[in-house]
Amino acid sequence: MDRLEGELPVQQFNTWIRPLQVKIDDSRLCLLAPNRFVLDWITQRYLQRINEIVGELDHSAITIEIVIGSKNAEAKAKLKSDVKSGASARVLARKNVQPVRVNEKSEGVIEHQSGLNKSFTFKSFVEGKSNQIARAAALQIAKNAGGAYNPLFIYGGVGLGKTHLMHAVGDFMLNQNPRAKVVYLHSERFVADMVKSLQLNAINEFKRFYRSVDALLIDDIQFFAGKERSQEEFFHTFNALLERNQQIIMTCDRYPKEISGLEERLKSRFGWGLTVAVDPPELETRVAILMKKAEQANIDLPNDAAFFIAQKISSNVRELEGGLKRVIASAHFTGKKISTEFVRESLKDLLALQDKMISIENIQRTVAEYYKIKMADMLSKRRSRSVARPRQVAMALSKELTRHSLPEIGDVFGGRDHTTVIHACRKIKELQESNADIREDYKNLLRLLTA
Amino acid sequence: MINSLFPQLPLHFPVREELTFDNFVVGKNRAITEQLFQCEELEPGQFVYLWGELGVGCSHLLQACCHQAGKKSRTSMYLPLDELIQFDASVIEGIESVDLVCVDHIDAIAGHHHWETALFHLFNRLLDSGSGLVVAAANPVRLLNISLADLASRLSACLIYQVVALDDDDLLPLLQQRARSKGIELNAEVGQFIINRCRRSVPALLDVLEQLDHNALSAGRRVTVPFIKKVMQW
């Protein structure tokens, strides 16, 4: 690897060689590639050189082969000897995540984990007007799984807590009965597992596995659209579960009837149980969510700071969380207490507050208005202090807020030389240290231009 | 005399430049480098999103993360989407088995439904597998023009940082460092001479450096202020 690293351009090495894992058995060196594409790429471009390097380093007859796979999957997917259930390898390949509550062996060859995130519980769910019906329905179902409300269909926009509610039901069920077989998965994984099972001629194990669960929680069902074979399989799984009063919970970004590319019979079945909507949280709920998250992170978040974040980020809870994460990271880095001003500063990156296009002309106009001079004075040859000082401030701001070269900046200020710009910047820097008025002016102007 | 009649033709041997945290000129991005330096130890699902204008160093940081992961015997994969978009999205299938995935130029796939969906699924699989993810773009998430709302919302949940451009004080060490890697010794006076006249962005400076390097090799001259004035016509 080191030899190859020294020979290849950095980017090529980082893209194609670093993802490879190496496994050595006796006289066989096995390179594990994450997928077919990488495998082909390595085989065509680098395998010969890898062979040469290994030959130079070790003269014994070592065989090099490259296959698709990973050590993590191999270690954790304890599949039976015929490895028919390669479909479940991904389910088992969790490296660092600890949220899994159940890890028991099902009948047949497939082992499973619940896939539940233990932090998504009813307790950690913040209730508001926008989600109270959905929460009440989910809690009802958790207490009486497989009962009257089957399936539960939760729909709404992205990042509003649909997945959280779904996990909360699973968590509740497991708390009631730790041996309950609850499986959460994203619809894409259902599709991928099915495809793999078909490839490995293991579709019966696939069916047996998904039909044996006490509760099947499938996220983002809209991704079944256009996948007819998967819909067919899901249709049968759905019927089998419903017949035996096993609970099904689905989430989707829209109402069942509105999912295009989905078979009519599925759409109609999705509406058989209870269909509930989750709406974007209103301001007070957003504040409550932030306070709860801050409490969980053991962070002191003042009310006005939470209001500031909630006012700035109104679209969804995920973005809200992203904002809070950023504030917390900044607080850890700087060691400062969180205040509204601190939050404003921390969220600049996220909210792109500085993203407004700043042109030199805009700077000239803003500075001229601030000092109540004419725009023409910025460009004139006049040297009186009342004009020259604002001009110097504008030059310094242009240097700070744009990437124009100094000759370009000088040019826009009435065809001045770049040395004049250097002088202006130096002067303003000195004055900021010695003169409180200039320091205040400069700070105000920076805020005006970037806020 | 001979030199002026028969200028030496410089052979183009691209210099292999390491992209590590050690040679990243940090400037005002200390919080980011500290965060990324330990990106392996982030909580599972604590993904990072960097954005910044061209040349501020996002790609450098991502590749430094890969280098750092390698030092700790972890696997990683750098995905420059502006280049990989020409291929099928199957290039990212199964890569949740890699310990750290670094996705660069995510802007390039905005509006490409197939790629957006593939990345969304990758995002979910990375969450499942507990692998790390660092994404970089030229724009903040809100301005990415990603059509798939599910992907955009997941990106917005990342730890988001803007990588800011170096100010003039930091441009000089960067210029000197890059010059040194090309075998050019640039003293502060010469370096500042370039910075005072060039567009003050890293790509513009490196472009000037490339021209100076080429011309200096060809003419067999040292890079001095008179030489720069002549080559750049400043």
Side-chain angles (χ1 to χ4, degrees):
Chain A
M1 282 288 196
D2 290 345
R3 284 275 297 274
L4 214 51
E5 186 175 4
E7 290 178 14
L8 291 177
V10 178
Q11 184 176 317
Q12 280 184 35
F13 188 81
N14 287 337
T15 302
W16 305 111
I17 307 298
R18 286 201 192 276
L20 300 178
Q21 292 180 332
V22 181
K23 206 174 69 175
I24 301 173
D25 304 323
D26 300 327
S27 61
R28 201 170 62 110
L29 188 149
C30 187
L31 296 174
L32 301 170
N35 59 45
R36 164 69 53 193
F37 195 102
V38 174
L39 182 142
D40 288 344
W41 193 275
I42 298 285
T43 307
Q44 285 164 22
R45 287 167 174 79
Y46 308 120
L47 197 55
Q48 189 185 342
R49 184 62 193 136
I50 292 171
N51 267 307
E52 287 167 6
I53 291 172
V54 172
E56 286 165 22
L57 295 174
D58 184 346
H59 295 287
S60 60
I62 194 160
T63 317
I64 300 175
E65 64 173 10
I66 176 163
V67 295
I68 299 170
S70 86
K71 283 182 186 173
N72 303 318
E74 280 181 16
K76 296 189 180 179
K78 295 172 189 163
L79 304 176
K80 283 202 170 171
S81 55
D82 61 359
V83 199
K84 273 189 172 179
S85 59
S88 70
R90 271 183 309 283
V91 183
L92 297 157
R94 300 173 75 94
K95 287 197 283 282
N96 306 320
V97 194
Q98 298 298 326
V100 178
R101 303 290 296 265
V102 171
N103 182 8
E104 61 180 80
K105 207 162 188 169
S106 65
E107 288 176 19
V109 290
I110 296 183
E111 286 183 24
H112 86 277
Q113 293 180 313
S114 71
L116 292 178
N117 183 335
K118 68 177 176 186
S119 65
F120 288 166
T121 63
F122 281 112
K123 199 177 166 206
S124 63
F125 188 84
V126 177
E127 189 180 347
K129 273 186 194 165
S130 55
N131 58 30
Q132 62 189 11
I133 295 174
R135 184 188 177 277
L139 188 59
Q140 193 62 32
I141 281 160
K143 289 176 179 168
N144 185 23
Y149 303 132
N150 203 10
L152 171 64
F153 191 96
I154 309 170
Y155 73 98
V158 294
L160 300 182
K162 304 185 296 289
T163 304
H164 187 140
L165 272 182
M166 182 185 245
H167 281 255
V169 175
D171 176 77
F172 192 97
M173 286 177 69
L174 283 175
N175 276 330
Q176 300 286 96
N177 173 16
R179 296 204 55 79
K181 200 181 289 176
V182 177
V183 170
Y184 163 84
L185 78 165
H186 193 268
S187 60
E188 187 247 357
R189 214 173 64 205
F190 184 89
V191 175
D193 281 1
M194 191 201 72
V195 170
K196 196 106 183 185
S197 298
L198 285 169
Q199 284 169 352
L200 297 169
N201 202 20
I203 194 70
N204 286 334
E205 281 80 0
F206 173 87
K207 287 178 179 175
R208 192 156 55 228
F209 172 71
Y210 282 108
R211 292 174 195 186
S212 68
V213 300
D214 295 311
L216 181 61
L217 321 178
I218 295 212
D219 215 352
D220 288 326
I221 209 92
Q222 72 270 19
F223 286 99
F224 274 148
K227 298 183 176 95
E228 286 161 19
R229 181 68 179 86
S230 303
Q231 288 181 31
E232 172 82 19
E233 194 49 53
F234 186 67
F235 176 75
H236 294 303
T237 303
F238 185 96
N239 288 339
L241 291 173
L242 225 56
E243 260 175 38
R244 281 183 245 152
N245 297 327
Q246 292 146 292
Q247 184 66 46
I248 303 168
I249 305 179
M250 293 167 286
T251 69
C252 187
D253 65 349
R254 65 203 74 183
Y255 191 69
K257 298 277 181 211
E258 291 168 9
I259 313 171
S260 55
L262 201 67
E263 286 180 35
E264 283 304 319
R265 57 179 182 169
L266 271 178
K267 286 186 196 177
S268 93
R269 270 166 175 75
F270 288 171
W272 278 2
L274 185 62
T275 300
V276 288
V278 181
D279 291 318
E282 64 283 8
L283 180 66
E284 291 75 10
T285 309
R286 295 200 299 276
V287 172
I289 290 170
L290 286 167
M291 299 304 273
K292 184 104 175 176
K293 299 271 175 200
E295 186 192 314
Q296 284 165 359
N298 217 7
I299 290 288
D300 184 21
L301 179 69
N303 228 12
D304 53 346
F307 259 95
F308 180 84
I309 303 174
Q311 276 168 340
K312 292 288 175 192
I313 303 172
S314 56
S315 53
N316 65 60
V317 181
R318 261 194 211 110
E319 198 174 353
L320 210 55
E321 276 183 58
L324 184 62
K325 273 185 210 166
R326 183 66 176 82
V327 171
I328 293 173
S330 294
H332 282 149
F333 178 70
T334 59
K336 289 183 183 167
K337 277 189 77 173
I338 298 174
S339 64
T340 305
E341 192 49 42
F342 182 84
V343 168
R344 185 198 300 276
E345 192 59 34
S346 302
L347 293 189
K348 267 185 181 169
D349 298 5
L350 188 143
L351 300 173
L353 294 178
Q354 279 185 307
D355 202 58
K356 204 161 73 177
M357 288 298 287
I358 300 171
S359 65
I360 298 181
E361 200 193 345
N362 188 17
I363 293 170
Q364 289 173 329
R365 189 174 301 114
T366 308
V367 176
E369 279 170 15
Y370 184 86
Y371 284 107
K372 299 190 174 41
I373 62 169
K374 290 180 197 148
M375 179 71 174
D377 288 335
M378 281 283 166
L379 319 180
S380 75
K381 301 287 177 202
R382 286 182 58 199
R383 289 174 160 198
S384 67
R385 183 170 292 182
S386 63
V387 174
R389 194 67 83 225
R391 193 189 293 134
Q392 287 174 328
V393 168
M395 283 181 183
L397 285 164
S398 300
K399 180 169 173 279
E400 183 167 343
L401 298 175
T402 77
R403 309 310 295 167
H404 287 287
S405 70
L406 303 188
E408 281 168 348
I409 295 173
D411 205 38
V412 191
F413 280 85
R416 289 176 159 80
D417 191 70
H418 77 276
T419 52
T420 311
V421 182
I422 293 175
H423 172 74
C425 296
R426 204 170 287 151
K427 187 78 193 166
I428 295 302
K429 197 176 175 189
E430 282 168 15
L431 285 172
Q432 279 195 80
E433 282 161 18
S434 60
N435 183 327
D437 289 344
I438 291 284
R439 188 163 55 242
E440 191 62 26
D441 289 350
Y442 197 86
K443 216 167 111 183
N444 289 341
L445 282 161
L446 257 183
R447 186 171 295 175
L448 273 174
L449 287 160
T450 57
Chain B
M1 180 67 182
I2 290 174
N3 262 357
S4 61
L5 285 175
F6 303 104
Q8 190 180 343
L9 291 176
L11 286 173
H12 185 67
F13 286 116
V15 178
R16 189 180 185 283
E17 295 196 44
E18 294 289 346
L19 298 171
T20 66
F21 284 112
D22 288 340
N23 63 12
F24 183 76
V25 179
V26 176
K28 291 177 180 153
N29 300 304
R30 176 73 58 197
I32 302 175
T33 52
E34 290 207 357
Q35 184 79 61
L36 292 178
F37 192 73
Q38 43 156 8
C39 60
E40 323 248 324
E41 287 144 37
L42 289 175
E43 294 277 306
Q46 177 81 292
F47 299 157
V48 179
Y49 180 98
L50 306 176
W51 66 276
E53 62 185 85
L54 182 72
V56 292
C58 289
S59 302
H60 186 138
L61 284 171
L62 259 54
Q63 301 205 59
C65 287
C66 292
H67 182 263
Q68 187 66 13
K71 278 169 77 176
K72 294 182 181 172
S73 305
R74 305 278 179 90
T75 53
S76 60
M77 189 172 192
Y78 173 72
L79 296 165
L81 293 188
D82 56 337
E83 294 175 21
L84 296 176
I85 193 170
Q86 62 181 306
F87 304 119
D88 187 83
S90 64
V91 67
I92 61 172
E93 267 175 21
I95 64 169
E96 61 276 12
S97 61
V98 173
D99 295 312
L100 177 69
V101 175
C102 294
V103 176
D104 204 359
H105 305 294
I106 197 171
D107 327 55
I109 59 98
H112 294 258
H113 177 72
H114 192 56
W115 266 97
E116 286 189 4
T117 308
L119 269 179
F120 166 67
H121 293 321
L122 172 65
F123 202 100
N124 291 329
R125 293 198 306 268
L126 288 170
L127 273 177
D128 273 352
S129 69
S131 299
L133 173 69
V134 185
V135 179
N139 289 300
V141 180
R142 287 179 173 194
L143 302 179
L144 267 189
N145 294 325
I146 294 274
S147 332
L148 186 63
D150 305 81
L151 175 62
S153 89
R154 275 157 183 83
L155 290 172
S156 70
C158 294
L159 198 47
I160 298 175
Y161 287 99
Q162 180 182 10
V163 182
V164 294
L166 297 175
D167 57 30
D168 289 7
D169 293 343
D170 293 314
L171 285 175
L172 181 61
L174 177 124
L175 191 63
Q176 288 179 312
Q177 182 203 76
R178 294 302 168 93
R180 210 170 298 124
S181 73
K182 288 175 181 292
I184 303 171
E185 248 344 287
L186 271 192
N187 64 36
E189 184 207 348
V190 177
Q192 199 58 54
F193 180 83
I194 296 171
I195 291 166
N196 284 347
R197 283 156 184 83
C198 176
R199 189 175 171 83
R200 291 161 308 115
S201 74
V202 175
L205 283 171
L206 296 185
D207 190 42
V208 168
L209 194 61
E210 189 66 40
Q211 288 182 56
L212 293 174
D213 183 34
H214 183 87
N215 282 281
L217 275 175
S218 172
R221 295 265 310 267
R222 282 177 55 233
V223 178
T224 57
V225 169
F227 180 75
I228 297 169
K229 278 183 178 170
K230 189 180 164 203
V231 172
M232 302 307 297
Q233 299 186 334
W234 282 340

